[in-house]
Amino acid sequence: MVLIAGILFTGYFANAQTVSGPENTPPEWSAPYQPFRIAGNLYYVGTYDLACYLITTSEGNILINTGLAASAAMINKNIETLGFRPADTRILLTTQAHYDHMAGTAAIQRLTGAKMMVDRGDSSVVADGGKSDYALNTTYEPVKIDRLLNNGDTIKLGDARLVMLHHPGHTKGSCSFLFDVRDEQRSYRVLIANMPTIVTAKKFSEIPAYPGIASDYAYTLREMKKLSFDIWLASHASQFGLHSKHKPGDKYNPAAFMDKAGYDAALKDLQLQFSKKVKER
């Protein structure tokens, strides 16, 4: 309880720290993208490449990821374009605590009063705005944490039930979300996956701040291969081939995202990258 209280306190009062994002981010990270309905009550509200997802319910909405700080207004506009109110956001989630998925969160939390729920492994990084990240030297406005999540925990709002899956490696608390949505025709099992890409150029043995990094990557790759779903999405649009599956103005088509073969191929490539990395001496 002392640890949790300390994290929450830090999230409340650390706003004054200097924010230091990289000078040059890929332009596709902040480029606009037309929001659209993916399946049932699940919508894409992110930028061209930084994926943000809105899950709507009768008791308010859930927003997963927020992109760069400068993109917060764009995300809110995307939500409004779809006919929803940003102020109805009740829960904020993130797939990882890096600035490109978290930097807009504090502003959106202030606007909406939404509760931030985060994988316990990323809690210190979220609360100090990236200062304690083991690999990146980028910071963002710290975020007040309302609930710490452990592997297998369920997030409930209205009729939405999301299971958080702890998938560490990329960050200490990287995670995925597994849940069901339904449209007029059928229900869909959806996986929003945080793909375990390797973010550090250092050898794993040279990262004292994360001594368990290799075993965490191995665990995540093993667990992700076991998952069953109908639709899969990811933290970056480029990771799940959004732009080959959906063009702005396309009609509603959940089947476009039913791509188990693409998921398996992506994990196979990541497994090869990991195997190569662990052999570095």
Side-chain angles (χ1 to χ4, degrees):
M1 290 302 293
V2 174
L3 174 61
I4 294 176
I7 289 171
L8 299 184
F9 183 89
T10 301
Y12 254 122
F13 296 104
N15 289 7
Q17 83 171 44
T18 301
V19 175
S20 59
E23 293 183 2
N24 298 307
T25 57
E28 60 269 22
W29 283 9
S30 55
Y33 195 74
Q34 183 179 4
F36 67 97
R37 184 188 184 198
I38 298 171
N41 57 318
L42 171 65
Y43 300 83
Y44 187 91
V45 294
T47 69
Y48 188 87
D49 188 58
L50 296 182
C52 306
Y53 302 98
L54 186 74
I55 301 169
T56 61
T57 84
S58 59
E59 296 183 15
N61 305 324
I62 299 169
L63 179 62
I64 303 176
N65 295 342
T66 62
L68 302 173
S71 299
M74 184 189 306
I75 293 166
N76 286 332
K77 182 179 178 181
N78 285 345
I79 292 172
E80 291 174 341
T81 297
L82 292 168
F84 305 107
R85 298 192 329 140
D88 289 336
T89 303
R90 298 288 180 262
I91 294 174
L92 295 169
L93 301 172
T94 188
T95 52
Q96 51 167 287
H98 284 155
Y99 72 98
D100 50 330
H101 308 286
M102 281 290 307
T105 304
I108 291 176
Q109 187 181 50
R110 279 195 299 274
L111 172 71
T112 63
K115 295 185 180 299
M116 181 73 207
M117 303 182 185
V118 63
D119 185 300
R120 184 179 296 273
D122 268 351
S123 57
S124 62
V125 180
V126 170
D128 66 24
K131 290 176 65 177
S132 59
D133 186 89
Y134 76 89
L136 301 188
N137 294 315
T138 53
T139 57
Y140 49 87
E141 185 178 348
V143 180
K144 173 187 174 291
I145 298 172
D146 297 282
R147 180 185 172 190
L148 299 180
L149 299 170
N150 298 304
N151 187 46
D153 280 353
T154 300
I155 299 104
K156 301 177 182 179
L157 185 67
D159 57 359
R161 301 288 184 273
L162 287 72
V163 176
M164 191 215 76
L165 304 174
H166 180 57
H167 287 156
H170 186 79
T171 67
K172 294 181 180 180
S174 290
C175 62
S176 305
F177 298 97
L178 195 62
F179 56 97
D180 295 318
V181 297
R182 174 176 288 278
D183 64 13
E184 299 77 10
Q185 304 299 320
R186 54 164 291 182
S187 63
Y188 305 86
R189 190 71 162 161
V190 178
L191 172 67
I192 296 179
N194 193 78
M195 305 306 284
T197 56
I198 296 172
V199 71
T200 180
K202 295 181 179 180
K203 300 174 184 177
F204 285 156
S205 60
E206 296 175 346
I207 308 176
Y210 194 175
I213 186 170
S215 59
D216 274 0
Y217 268 113
Y219 164 83
T220 293
L221 286 162
R222 183 171 63 251
E223 292 302 305
M224 292 186 82
K225 291 172 186 175
K226 300 176 183 178
L227 298 176
S228 298
F229 51 85
D230 299 307
I231 288 171
W232 80 282
L233 309 161
S235 302
H236 287 261
S238 53
Q239 291 176 328
F240 66 99
L242 168 62
H243 305 297
S244 65
K245 296 173 180 176
H246 175 88
K247 306 294 183 186
D250 280 356
K251 294 181 179 180
Y252 175 68
N253 183 23
F257 301 97
M258 299 174 74
D259 178 28
K260 182 63 162 57
Y263 177 81
D264 291 343
L267 282 184
K268 182 178 180 180
D269 181 63
L270 291 168
Q271 180 69 63
L272 290 172
Q273 293 178 34
F274 170 71
S275 298
K276 181 179 179 180
K277 187 73 173 178
V278 294
K279 292 177 181 178
E280 292 180 353
R281 293 289 183 266

